[in-house]
Amino acid sequence: YNKEQYTEVMAQKLMAEDEADRQRLQEHEEKLEAERQAVLEKEREEERLKQEAEERAAHQLSIANREAEKMVETAAEDVRAVLATRRQQILDRITALEERL
């Protein structure tokens, strides 16, 4: 090799190495981006599942609240019925006492 040929061969070799380095760097960046996207997708999926769980819990709580309201209404009706019966019994006793007098 003469000096010119040697310089040319070395320049081509360095350019090829540089291109290979650029290619590896690009592949690495693409891999990192793919991993980042996968992490973001996983986070979105976790958030969606969390939101669904919260919505289900709220729905169950709503159902439980409606059932509790029905129980309270039923209990109030039962109390009113007992009070009405008791009131009638008292009125009947008063009437019976008045008839004796």
Side-chain angles (χ1 to χ4, degrees), residues 25-37:
L25 179 61
Q26 182 178 352
E27 289 169 0
H28 182 68
E29 287 173 348
E30 289 170 358
K31 180 181 174 189
L32 288 177
E33 179 62 20
E35 290 173 357
R36 188 180 75 81
Q37 289 297 328

Side-chain angles (χ1 to χ4, degrees), residues 2-3 8 11-12 25 30-31 33 38-39 42 46 49 57 63 68 78 81 87-88 90-91 94-95 98:
N2 66 30
K3 187 177 179 183
E8 180 65 28
Q12 288 176 356
L25 179 61
E30 289 170 358
K31 180 181 174 189
E33 179 62 20
V39 167
K42 183 179 178 192
E46 288 171 353
L49 292 174
I63 290 170
D78 291 347
R87 182 173 182 262
Q88 188 59 48
I90 291 169
L91 289 175
I94 291 172
T95 302
E98 287 175 346

Side-chain angles (χ1 to χ4, degrees), residues 35-94:
E35 290 173 357
R36 188 180 75 81
Q37 289 297 328
V39 167
L40 289 174
E41 181 59 33
K42 183 179 178 192
E43 288 173 353
R44 283 191 292 267
E45 180 66 10
E46 288 171 353
E47 183 60 30
R48 184 185 67 76
L49 292 174
K50 178 183 166 192
Q51 183 70 26
E52 285 179 4
E54 289 172 355
E55 289 171 3
R56 278 193 304 277
H59 181 67
Q60 291 298 327
L61 182 59
S62 175
I63 290 170
N65 284 342
R66 283 196 302 270
E67 290 172 355
E69 287 172 6
K70 288 178 187 175
M71 288 173 58
V72 168
E73 289 171 14
T74 301
E77 290 170 6
D78 291 347
V79 168
R80 283 192 291 273
V82 167
L83 289 176
T85 300
R86 191 75 186 114
R87 182 173 182 262
Q88 188 59 48
Q89 290 172 346
I90 291 169
L91 289 175
D92 291 347
R93 283 186 182 168
I94 291 172

